[in-house]
Amino acid sequence: MVRGGDGGEAEGSGPTEFPEQFRSYSESEKHWQARRAFLLQNMPAAGGEGPLSPLHTDQLLSLSMVWANHLFLGCSYSKDLLDKVTEMAEGIEVEDVPHFTTRDEIMKKNQQ
């Protein structure tokens, strides 16, 4: 189960309509619900900045994939990028997140 913040609305579409077009065919329901919460949480608020530009939309989609791939698949990215997406995902709770052991953690454990 995923619980997220109160994402805004893109102009001309409700908060539930906007992200649905961006679900990947192979994305599991759990993965999608987390990424959807990330998208909704980081959309401009209704009456605020207005609709997302194509560039902003692409950036938001990319950041949502970085966050979800790191969370669910254990992908690694630069510290600055992970810090940014972690901040953007603040308040989104995802149950049963897998734990991944990094190569460095394995090497450190073997040396002890």
Side-chain angles (χ1 to χ4, degrees):
M1 178 174 201
V2 176
R3 287 180 232 131
D6 297 328
E9 291 185 21
E11 188 173 308
S13 66
T16 57
E17 297 168 7
F18 168 77
E20 301 307 320
Q21 63 186 315
F22 299 113
R23 181 175 183 176
S24 172
Y25 176 76
S26 61
E27 205 163 17
S28 72
E29 186 66 24
K30 182 178 182 178
H31 190 133
W32 168 241
Q33 289 305 319
R35 201 165 69 82
R36 183 179 181 280
F38 183 97
L39 292 169
L40 290 173
Q41 179 165 301
N42 291 287
M43 287 172 37
E49 300 173 31
L52 293 173
S53 69
L55 178 60
H56 190 164
T57 300
D58 286 347
Q59 289 173 338
L60 181 56
L61 290 170
S62 297
L63 292 169
S64 74
M65 290 302 294
V66 166
W67 176 71
N69 288 345
H70 175 70
L71 188 69
F72 292 108
L73 304 175
C75 297
S76 60
Y77 300 91
S78 72
K79 181 182 180 333
D80 290 341
L81 182 56
L82 286 177
D83 288 348
K84 179 180 178 101
V85 296
T86 300
E87 181 180 323
M88 292 174 74
E90 195 170 306
I92 299 174
E93 297 176 23
V94 181
E95 294 178 3
D96 303 322
V97 178
H99 173 73
F100 297 95
T101 305
T102 66
R103 178 188 168 279
D104 291 342
E105 291 170 338
I106 293 170
M107 296 300 288
K108 187 176 183 178
K109 184 178 178 181
N110 288 340
Q111 290 175 351
Q112 294 175 353

